[in-house]
Amino acid sequence: MSGSKRRSRNAAQLDRRYVWHPFTQMQDWVREKPIVIAKGQGALLYDSEGREYLDANASIWTNLHGHAHPVIDRAIRNQLAAVSHTSALGLANVPASHLAAELISLTQLRKKTASPQPRLKKIFYSDDGSTAMEVALKLHFEHQRRSRPEIAPRFLSLENSYHGDTVGAMSLGHSPLFHQAFKSIRFRVDRVMAPYCYRCPYNRARPDRTDARLTRRCQWECVGLIEKSLGQARKKNRPYTAFVTEPIVQGAAGMIVHPEGWLARTAALVRGHGLQLIADEVMTGFGRTGPPIACHQEGVQPDFLALAKGLTGGYLPMAATLTTQAVFDSFLGPYEDFRTFFHGHSFTANQLGSAAALASLELLRRPAATARRRRLESWFDQALQTLWRLPQIGDVRRAGLVAGVELVKNWRTREPFPLSEQAGIRVCRELARRGVLTRPIGNVIVLMPIYCLTRPQLNTIVGRLAEAVETVLESDVRQ
Ligand SMILES: Cc1ncc(COP(=O)(O)O)c(C=O)c1O
């Protein structure tokens, strides 16, 4: 056995001995031999034993164009030959400056809208989705205190939302499973009902779809509840100052696809009440849901836009928070006034990450790539339709190239599997045995095709998911 093969094999042992994995019950982890990924090519991953897998969740929602893409690889290699990293504290660098200009251009809303939208003009770089959201919340906090000191900053966000794991980002979220343990160290952020149509307490028809069997049409009760929260806060003289949302799809909540029109209505509503809009596009950015920026789908330009995951094509950790001139200006002043934004990270504006991001944006913008994503969406849609026949599947929801497949105990009553039964985990384990890798969010199986996936590969992913569901949950459901 060659030295490198031996190293790959030893990795499983070393991992179980030393590595603590995120969002993983380690008691279960150490009982099984882990899959050790040793290589990637396009939408395929290979483990240290040489087994091939389809990457069905884009390596936790990060990868856009495929693994080992020659254009991104070359850009990183070229940058490596120049310099890998230099500090952004006191220094500029070439790729990060060009990337800033590209991102500002990409994130401009070009669609005409009824009301004037703010323009994103400045970028603050950081390392990952959580830090991008920390930056957004801190910028809003300070901007609010400076521009309207009479009104204390106050955030409102959605039920089940997830914006990252650092304490500030965690405070903005409302995931009962992830955040409960840290309740006492999170700062207070109020929550309001999310548009989770499949489990809507008001009715069972999506407002953007007419279902012949369901007569009651949606009255946008969820938007009404936001309006009510805004009104009540105002009456108590403690108005909200920022609304935080993941546009179009709430990822970690279970790939909850918001109904068409929800974002535009909500944005208009919160702006009407004088709030700033913080859009967390850590997952939805860069074409996942359709356009490069998901907010643009509904003619919305936020006051803060957080980007990460796909920013570098999924190659390197890097993030950006974009904001307006007005927010930027509130931090200006003579040095001795100390209005500086006192925030930064060692790897802010990393040169390798910036080079990868520039290459990824170039790929994303190619007209052929856009047309291909459209075709992939339509193949994806067709493939997903085949899942409805399974009684173990209650909902199949998709926006662009993101889908959530919700497993249920009883599709008639929508009774969920208790989390303790690990339905999602068991299905994904079986799926891995069949050569497809993804991770569940509770009872929801996430499918997120990498943009280079072929139609046969896409059909294989969906077909194997159906097989895995039938194998694992055959006796668990009420028919
Ligand atoms: C919408 C959203 N925001 C923030 C984050 C946190 O990003 P990171 O894991 O890069 O810190 C995630 C991660 O899944 C996310 O989906």
Side-chain angles (χ1 to χ4, degrees):
M1 201 193 295
S2 75
S4 79
K5 265 206 173 139
R6 201 170 306 117
R7 272 174 66 78
S8 292
R9 293 229 167 134
N10 284 347
Q13 256 181 321
L14 296 173
D15 178 281
R16 278 191 293 184
R17 193 174 306 155
Y18 299 118
V19 182
W20 190 341
H21 286 260
F23 288 98
T24 302
Q25 178 41 257
M26 294 305 290
Q27 186 172 295
D28 296 337
W29 177 266
V30 293
R31 276 204 285 263
E32 291 197 19
K33 192 164 172 239
I35 296 171
V36 178
I37 298 298
K39 196 179 141 186
Q41 186 65 59
L44 294 170
L45 294 171
Y46 298 86
D47 71 12
S48 52
E49 317 272 321
R51 268 187 303 261
E52 184 181 284
Y53 302 88
L54 279 158
D55 183 351
N57 81 342
S59 291
I60 205 70
W61 323 346
T62 58
N63 195 292
L64 299 186
H65 315 287
H67 298 281
H69 195 290
V71 173
I72 303 181
D73 284 6
R74 199 179 318 120
I76 294 173
R77 264 193 224 105
N78 289 344
Q79 186 58 47
L80 205 52
V83 61
S84 299
H85 178 66
T86 50
S87 172
L89 280 71
L91 297 170
N93 78 61
V94 178
S97 312
H98 285 270
L99 178 61
E102 293 282 337
L103 286 174
I104 292 292
S105 156
L106 186 83
T107 56
Q108 292 316 304
L109 179 64
R110 292 189 172 89
K111 216 176 187 174
K112 281 225 162 73
T113 59
S115 54
Q117 302 278 324
R119 290 171 69 83
L120 298 170
K121 292 228 166 141
K122 299 287 172 184
I123 290 188
F124 195 96
Y125 287 119
S126 61
D127 303 341
D128 50 42
S130 304
T131 51
M133 288 304 289
E134 292 284 339
V135 169
L137 86 87
K138 284 173 80 173
L139 285 178
H140 170 74
F141 185 85
E142 269 305 280
H143 170 70
Q144 177 66 28
R145 289 184 345 136
R146 286 158 189 203
S147 58
R148 298 180 70 192
E150 71 286 4
I151 303 173
R154 228 178 139 212
F155 299 85
L156 182 66
S157 65
L158 293 180
E159 208 165 43
N160 289 317
S161 54
Y162 175 80
H163 300 289
D165 291 328
T166 49
V167 176
M170 213 171 39
S171 303
L172 297 176
H174 295 289
S175 162
L177 187 62
F178 303 162
H179 299 144
Q180 188 59 26
F182 305 104
K183 201 172 165 202
S184 60
I185 54 167
R186 290 160 59 207
F187 70 81
R188 183 178 166 167
V189 172
D190 289 345
R191 69 168 186 266
V192 65
M193 196 179 105
Y196 185 4
C197 299
Y198 179 61
R199 298 201 176 278
C200 177
Y202 295 100
N203 72 74
R204 292 177 168 198
R206 278 175 67 93
D208 53 346
R209 264 192 226 160
T210 321
D211 187 330
R213 290 167 305 159
L214 301 162
T215 46
R216 223 186 126 203
R217 292 278 297 159
C218 169
Q219 304 291 314
W220 292 104
E221 287 90 344
C222 50
V223 180
L225 286 177
I226 299 175
E227 191 165 22
K228 194 170 158 200
S229 296
L230 298 174
Q232 282 174 345
R234 216 175 225 188
K235 256 198 209 143
K236 287 185 195 153
N237 235 349
R238 296 189 58 229
Y240 295 107
T241 59
F243 183 77
V244 187
T245 189
E246 296 163 70
I248 311 295
V249 186
Q250 256 176 285
M255 294 303 155
I256 293 169
V257 178
H258 294 172
E260 197 180 321
W262 181 88
L263 180 65
R265 283 166 191 263
T266 302
L269 177 67
V270 300
R271 286 244 168 79
H273 280 254
L275 279 74
Q276 287 198 314
L277 182 65
I278 301 181
D280 177 351
E281 293 226 19
V282 167
M283 188 274 282
T284 56
F286 306 107
R288 291 275 182 217
T289 67
I293 300 302
C295 278
H296 294 180
Q297 225 158 301
E298 301 219 353
V300 169
Q301 180 89 302
D303 301 272
F304 299 91
L305 176 68
L307 298 168
K309 290 192 185 274
L311 171 59
T312 61
Y315 278 60
L316 290 160
M318 184 172 194
T321 307
L322 285 83
T323 192
T324 61
Q325 189 72 42
V327 171
F328 180 79
D329 287 349
S330 57
F331 288 79
L332 302 181
Y335 181 82
E336 60 279 14
D337 286 357
F338 302 114
R339 294 172 72 91
T340 304
F341 183 38
F342 291 106
H343 182 107
H345 304 278
S346 309
F347 286 97
T348 294
N350 175 257
Q351 301 222 28
L352 286 178
S354 302
L358 280 168
S360 175
L361 285 182
E362 194 258 307
L363 290 171
L364 190 79
R365 280 184 155 151
R366 288 180 181 174
T370 308
R372 191 172 194 289
R373 286 204 304 281
R374 293 296 88 80
R375 274 204 308 280
L376 198 56
E377 282 178 18
S378 133
W379 299 335
F380 194 29
D381 195 52
Q382 287 171 43
L384 289 172
Q385 297 309 318
T386 62
L387 296 176
W388 285 109
R389 71 187 165 81
L390 297 175
Q392 299 91 342
I393 291 176
D395 194 21
V396 181
R397 36 185 187 261
R398 179 189 70 85
L401 294 172
V402 180
V405 176
E406 185 159 339
L407 306 170
V408 284
K409 202 143 192 150
N410 185 331
W411 63 270
R412 286 192 184 85
T413 62
R414 307 183 181 202
E415 177 190 348
F417 283 102
L419 279 185
S420 55
E421 289 187 18
Q422 302 189 31
I425 293 176
R426 288 189 287 138
V427 165
C428 287
R429 210 177 280 145
E430 179 62 27
L431 204 46
R433 278 190 211 110
R434 290 165 191 267
V436 174
L437 298 179
T438 186
R439 260 183 84 87
I441 303 164
N443 291 323
V444 177
I445 309 297
V446 176
L447 295 181
M448 202 177 285
I450 289 179
Y451 302 165
C452 66
L453 213 66
T454 63
R455 190 173 195 181
Q457 285 175 326
L458 194 61
N459 290 339
T460 301
I461 289 175
V462 177
R464 301 235 168 113
L465 172 59
E467 289 166 18
V469 168
E470 284 183 302
T471 306
V472 172
L473 302 176
E474 199 194 356
S475 55
D476 293 66
V477 289
R478 304 202 174 101
Q479 300 279 341

